[in-house]
Amino acid sequence: MMTQSLPVLDFSRLDASPEEAAGFREDLRRATHDYGFFYLTGHGVPESLVSGILETSRRFFELPEADKLSIENVLSPQFRGYTRVGGELTQGLVDWREQIDVGSERETVERGEGVPDYWRLEGPNLWPEALPELQDVVTRWHDELSAISIRLLQAWAQSLGADPHVFDAAFAERPSTLIKIVRYPGKSDPTPKQGVGAHRDGGALTLLLVEEGKGGLQVAYGDEWIDAPPVPGAFVVNIGELLEYATNGYLKATVHRVISPSIGSDRISIPFFFNPALDASIPSIPLPEALQSEATGITPDPDDSPILQVYGENVLRYRLRAHPDVAAIHHSDLL
């Protein structure tokens, strides 16, 4: 392992002074060009909400199995709800975690001629009757992190010489958000075992909360892996493939993985994925001349699939691949 660590950026600099804001945008651009990952401090999310969502999440995983399976994702054509341990794949290999998937709460789109298949992902969430407070805390979490995400996208745009609102049309009105509430049961013995296999995120950006003291996230850097343990009061932030697409590879959607905790322990983490509307095309950013030479082009994902400009086409492919049981039940015509 490398001794190198990810950069740390203070979000509050955006509100400090014009000079500090410009410095933050420069550091943001450089961090996501060099690493694709960074720690974000100074974000202003109340500590009571941070501790509340972690505590409520752990209470969900402590529920009897019948209560968790009452919202199992095989009941949802939108791939929402609870996934039992071993129920998701990365690059065809089993991820050792259990989780709840919560997307944007909307009405179902009726299938029909001329309706793109990706609209099948639009619809309601599944909420456990045994823990009604989960919906409230997750909704507040969604609103706080959505606001941070919009400001980050505006800062990225400015750092690349573009209008700060260049991404608004794709993201502002109907963003496709996804919150995963994840528990990793211990499996490493102590030989490291896969918690989540090596992958890149397929959307725009991810804000990750991890319980303090619980490592396991590793970020690819050259031919090595950087450990990315949680930093108190910080999110781990990374960009997805769509920002790589928008910048012709100047910003990097970086491969990362999670190593399972040791047997006898576990780990709660909550990634928040902020993505455009399903039918949105991510705009291409014309880079200033000084940056163009560092844009290395768009690279295929770890499964050697091309990045598609319309977000819904990407995410439907990922969901079908990751959850073959849900796909077989609800989308067999697409397989």
Side-chain angles (χ1 to χ4, degrees), residues 23-293:
F24 174 85
R25 291 192 293 267
E26 172 68 17
D27 291 346
L28 177 69
R29 179 185 61 79
R30 180 52 58 183
T32 40
H33 171 71
D34 292 344
Y35 296 92
F37 271 79
F38 60 93
Y39 293 105
L40 185 69
T41 63
H43 46 73
V45 177
E47 178 56 37
S48 60
L49 181 56
V50 173
S51 59
I53 196 169
L54 287 170
E55 187 269 337
T56 308
S57 299
R58 188 163 285 284
R59 286 171 58 202
F60 172 81
F61 293 117
E62 292 171 351
L63 289 174
E65 184 176 25
D67 289 324
K68 293 189 287 186
L69 293 179
S70 71
I71 61 164
E72 190 174 13
N73 66 348
V74 293
L75 303 173
S76 169
Q78 291 79 36
F79 299 84
R80 310 287 177 82
Y82 174 70
T83 302
R84 64 181 77 199
V85 174
E88 186 172 21
L89 305 178
T90 299
Q91 295 191 57
L93 300 177
V94 173
D95 293 328
W96 199 251
R97 60 181 180 176
E98 57 178 333
Q99 64 190 32
I100 317 165
D101 281 31
V102 180
S104 301
E105 188 80 48
R106 299 196 176 112
E107 295 294 321
T108 302
V109 176
E110 187 173 348
R111 301 182 191 182
E113 185 176 353
V115 178
D117 292 330
Y118 53 70
W119 285 117
R120 301 182 185 196
L121 301 177
E122 198 99 309
N125 293 299
L126 302 180
W127 299 102
E129 291 184 6
L131 193 66
E133 54 267 44
L134 181 67
Q135 182 172 2
D136 176 65
V137 71
V138 170
T139 300
R140 289 188 288 127
W141 190 253
H142 169 275
D143 293 346
E144 288 275 357
L145 271 61
S146 292
I148 293 171
S149 298
I150 287 288
R151 292 199 71 193
L152 281 173
L153 285 171
Q154 293 170 349
W156 265 305
Q158 285 185 276
S159 76
L160 297 166
D163 185 285
H165 301 289
V166 68
F167 293 117
D168 285 3
F171 289 86
E173 291 189 11
R174 260 180 106 79
S176 298
T177 58
L178 178 65
I179 298 171
K180 283 181 175 285
I181 300 173
V182 185
R183 174 181 173 266
Y184 294 90
K187 192 181 183 186
S188 299
D189 58 350
T191 303
K193 299 291 178 64
Q194 175 171 314
V196 172
H199 67 286
R200 303 189 310 187
D201 291 348
L205 70 102
T206 305
L207 287 84
L208 173 68
L209 173 69
V210 181
E211 286 182 306
E212 289 191 18
K214 303 293 182 74
L217 175 64
Q218 296 182 337
V219 176
Y221 187 75
D223 296 327
E224 305 283 351
W225 291 96
I226 298 176
D227 278 321
V231 169
F235 292 115
V236 180
V237 182
N238 65 283
I239 68 164
E241 293 173 339
L242 289 183
L243 286 186
E244 179 172 310
Y245 187 104
T247 61
N248 193 34
Y250 178 80
L251 300 182
K252 304 296 183 187
T254 304
V255 173
H256 52 287
R257 66 186 183 187
V258 177
I259 301 302
S260 177
S262 298
I263 290 175
S265 63
D266 68 357
R267 173 184 187 265
I268 300 289
S269 68
I270 306 173
F272 172 85
F273 303 93
F274 192 73
N275 303 312
L278 290 173
D279 60 347
S281 297
I282 197 76
S284 296
I285 305 298
L287 296 174
E289 185 175 350
L291 305 181
Q292 288 179 6
S293 63

